[in-house]
Amino acid sequence: MANLLVLGAQWGDEGKGKIVDLLTPAFDIVARYQGGHNAGHTVYVNGRKIVLHLLPSGILRGGTLCLIGNGVVVSPEAFLKEIDDLRSLGISVDSSRIAVSRKAHIIMPYHPLGETAIEDLRGEDKIGTTGRGIGPAYEDKAGRWGIRAGDLLEPAVLSEKIGAYAEVKNRVFVAYGLPPIDPKKIEAELAPRVSRLAPYIRDVSSLLEDGMTQGRSVLFEGAQGTMLDIDHGTYPFVTSSNPTAGGVCTGLGISPKHIHGVLGIAKAYSTRVGSGPFPTEIDDARGKVIAARGDEFGATTGRPRRCGWFDAVAVRYACRINGIDGIALTKPDVLEGLGEILVCTGYKYRGDLLKTFPAESWILDRVVPVYESCPGWSDSLKSAKTPDDFSRPFRDYLRRIEDLIETPVGVVSTGVERKDTLFLREKLEGLMDVDKVLAASSD
Ligand code: IMP
């Protein structure tokens, strides 16, 4: 099967974990290209809820090679904990199945401390980050202060780098009222983790290239979502990496020619965690109903997610900048029985109808969404065995969304379990081999 990129078309939490887990058996390799353990990919297997933060969701399927690219920031502590947690569930995880790029930047113990201090100083304008040290690790990468996975393999180099960092950055730490970094303490803290992490540290770009040359297929797994992209999202209320399609090449060290198709994941409504503009946010009781039914609490931080109506302007924009060939629509079952469902078709700003998604967050904050009302559906989508079983109102809703986002909806997820997924074959032609996916996932 050709290589497929799966990414989020909204503000993250679109249900990527479930879709990646479902598609994985049809691929030989799953590769993550950005983000860190700020991500939370929830997968339900036989009624058991498993939340992955750093490891690609493909890890839940035996035999798949899982790669963590140079664009990811890696917390050794989080990485090892996730491995231990999976092992305790009887899932086989070892260095024959997982590799971390030598070039991936390491989240150091001092990164979360610096992040909390800065967030507090922002006061009302705080981003509402996950507090995992993601931003400071990327800051150090861009500032050329970063420590990369490959550096961990040579104690003398690591020691020198931490020492040089502390010498300069302690001035900043002290100015923030934080305890200064003690290089020896950091080294001692890292040492046992480094010895466990070392076997996983490899040249991921070459592993991918070799695999693809041997005909192995790759699923590229995005974390977060398009609207959280540092360049193309709702800056500054974004994460520090590029979840959008461009991030795949820089975050894994591969050519764009290796991406053969793009599947975007979008929820039938919108959610966002943390601060920032959110034009379709629902501030009446319906928002609370959706949040409760959809279990909309952050998989990483447990924070309640803000809920809003489906924003076709934002998703159309995501389809354009990522070259999305097809959408997997998740959680329409959450909207069952709501009577009326709103879809945002445009934004009004200073009396004009905006045709495109605005670049500035302060404009997005002031737009007035234009809504279209769609009749709700009361049938249980979960009981549909084929897309033909969908009721008329739901089929009309799907068609309307496709028109608005100018992209076909090829997958509909009607529940949390793997089996609650319907493929609209004619919409997925050229993007994925549905028979192969179904055969592989039933093994
Ligand atoms: P950071 O990625 O921890 O720096 O947080 C920056 C912003 O991205 C915050 O609004 C977070 O809530 C949001 N964010 C980060 N990871 C995720 C995710 O996996 N899902 C949804 N929001 C996320």
Short mmCIF file of all heavy atoms in Angstrom, two decimals, residues 115-129 237 275-276:
data_model
loop_
_atom_site.label_atom_id
_atom_site.label_comp_id
_atom_site.label_asym_id
_atom_site.label_seq_id
_atom_site.Cartn_x
_atom_site.Cartn_y
_atom_site.Cartn_z
N GLU A 115 9.13 26.68 31.63
CA GLU A 115 7.84 26.89 30.97
C GLU A 115 6.80 27.45 31.95
O GLU A 115 6.08 28.41 31.64
CB GLU A 115 7.34 25.56 30.40
CG GLU A 115 5.96 25.68 29.77
CD GLU A 115 5.56 24.42 29.03
OE1 GLU A 115 6.19 23.37 29.21
OE2 GLU A 115 4.59 24.51 28.27
N THR A 116 6.74 26.86 33.14
CA THR A 116 5.76 27.31 34.13
C THR A 116 6.03 28.77 34.51
O THR A 116 5.10 29.57 34.63
CB THR A 116 5.85 26.42 35.39
OG1 THR A 116 5.83 25.07 34.95
CG2 THR A 116 4.70 26.66 36.33
N ALA A 117 7.32 29.10 34.67
CA ALA A 117 7.66 30.47 35.06
C ALA A 117 7.19 31.46 34.00
O ALA A 117 6.57 32.49 34.32
CB ALA A 117 9.18 30.58 35.27
N ILE A 118 7.43 31.15 32.74
CA ILE A 118 7.04 32.07 31.66
C ILE A 118 5.52 32.16 31.54
O ILE A 118 4.95 33.25 31.38
CB ILE A 118 7.62 31.60 30.30
CG1 ILE A 118 9.14 31.71 30.33
CG2 ILE A 118 7.03 32.38 29.15
CD1 ILE A 118 9.67 33.06 29.95
N GLU A 119 4.85 31.03 31.64
CA GLU A 119 3.39 31.04 31.54
C GLU A 119 2.80 31.94 32.63
O GLU A 119 1.89 32.72 32.39
CB GLU A 119 2.82 29.61 31.69
CG GLU A 119 2.75 28.82 30.39
CD GLU A 119 1.56 29.17 29.52
OE1 GLU A 119 1.69 30.13 28.73
OE2 GLU A 119 0.52 28.50 29.61
N ASP A 120 3.37 31.84 33.85
CA ASP A 120 2.86 32.67 34.95
C ASP A 120 3.08 34.15 34.65
O ASP A 120 2.23 34.99 34.93
CB ASP A 120 3.56 32.29 36.26
CG ASP A 120 3.07 30.94 36.78
OD1 ASP A 120 2.04 30.47 36.26
OD2 ASP A 120 3.73 30.35 37.66
N LEU A 121 4.22 34.46 34.03
CA LEU A 121 4.51 35.87 33.73
C LEU A 121 3.59 36.42 32.65
O LEU A 121 3.36 37.62 32.57
CB LEU A 121 5.98 36.02 33.28
CG LEU A 121 7.02 35.85 34.39
CD1 LEU A 121 8.42 35.86 33.81
CD2 LEU A 121 6.87 36.95 35.43
N ARG A 122 3.08 35.55 31.81
CA ARG A 122 2.16 36.02 30.75
C ARG A 122 0.82 36.48 31.33
O ARG A 122 0.05 37.15 30.65
CB ARG A 122 1.88 34.89 29.75
CG ARG A 122 2.98 34.64 28.75
CD ARG A 122 2.52 33.53 27.81
NE ARG A 122 3.55 33.05 26.92
CZ ARG A 122 3.73 33.49 25.67
NH1 ARG A 122 2.96 34.43 25.18
NH2 ARG A 122 4.67 32.98 24.91
N GLY A 123 0.53 36.03 32.54
CA GLY A 123 -0.72 36.45 33.19
C GLY A 123 -1.94 36.05 32.38
O GLY A 123 -2.08 34.90 31.98
N GLU A 124 -2.79 37.04 32.09
CA GLU A 124 -4.04 36.80 31.37
C GLU A 124 -3.82 36.23 29.98
O GLU A 124 -4.69 35.59 29.42
CB GLU A 124 -4.78 38.14 31.20
CG GLU A 124 -5.16 38.81 32.48
CD GLU A 124 -6.65 38.78 32.69
OE1 GLU A 124 -7.34 39.39 31.87
OE2 GLU A 124 -7.09 38.13 33.66
N ASP A 125 -2.65 36.51 29.41
CA ASP A 125 -2.39 36.10 28.03
C ASP A 125 -1.73 34.73 27.93
O ASP A 125 -1.12 34.39 26.93
CB ASP A 125 -1.48 37.13 27.33
CG ASP A 125 -2.16 38.47 27.24
OD1 ASP A 125 -3.39 38.48 27.07
OD2 ASP A 125 -1.46 39.51 27.35
N LYS A 126 -1.83 33.95 29.00
CA LYS A 126 -1.12 32.67 28.95
C LYS A 126 -1.68 31.78 27.83
O LYS A 126 -2.86 31.88 27.46
CB LYS A 126 -1.11 31.97 30.30
CG LYS A 126 -2.44 31.56 30.86
CD LYS A 126 -2.24 30.72 32.12
CE LYS A 126 -1.40 31.44 33.15
NZ LYS A 126 -1.50 30.97 34.48
N ILE A 127 -0.80 30.93 27.30
CA ILE A 127 -1.19 30.07 26.18
C ILE A 127 -2.03 28.89 26.68
O ILE A 127 -2.84 28.35 25.95
CB ILE A 127 0.10 29.51 25.48
CG1 ILE A 127 1.08 30.63 25.13
CG2 ILE A 127 -0.24 28.67 24.25
CD1 ILE A 127 0.64 31.58 24.07
N GLY A 128 -1.79 28.53 27.95
CA GLY A 128 -2.49 27.33 28.46
C GLY A 128 -1.81 26.08 27.95
O GLY A 128 -2.46 25.15 27.48
N THR A 129 -0.48 26.07 28.04
CA THR A 129 0.26 24.92 27.51
C THR A 129 0.05 23.70 28.41
O THR A 129 -0.51 23.80 29.50
CB THR A 129 1.78 25.21 27.46
OG1 THR A 129 2.27 25.29 28.79
CG2 THR A 129 2.08 26.50 26.71
N PHE A 237 -1.44 31.15 20.00
CA PHE A 237 -2.09 30.10 20.80
C PHE A 237 -1.95 28.77 20.07
O PHE A 237 -2.93 28.22 19.56
CB PHE A 237 -3.54 30.49 21.08
CG PHE A 237 -3.64 31.80 21.80
CD1 PHE A 237 -3.93 32.98 21.12
CD2 PHE A 237 -3.39 31.87 23.16
CE1 PHE A 237 -3.99 34.19 21.78
CE2 PHE A 237 -3.45 33.09 23.84
CZ PHE A 237 -3.74 34.25 23.14
N SER A 275 -5.96 28.27 25.81
CA SER A 275 -6.51 29.58 25.43
C SER A 275 -6.48 29.76 23.92
O SER A 275 -5.96 28.94 23.20
CB SER A 275 -5.69 30.69 26.06
OG SER A 275 -5.13 30.28 27.28
N GLY A 276 -7.04 30.89 23.50
CA GLY A 276 -6.98 31.26 22.09
C GLY A 276 -8.33 31.38 21.44
O GLY A 276 -9.32 30.88 21.97
#
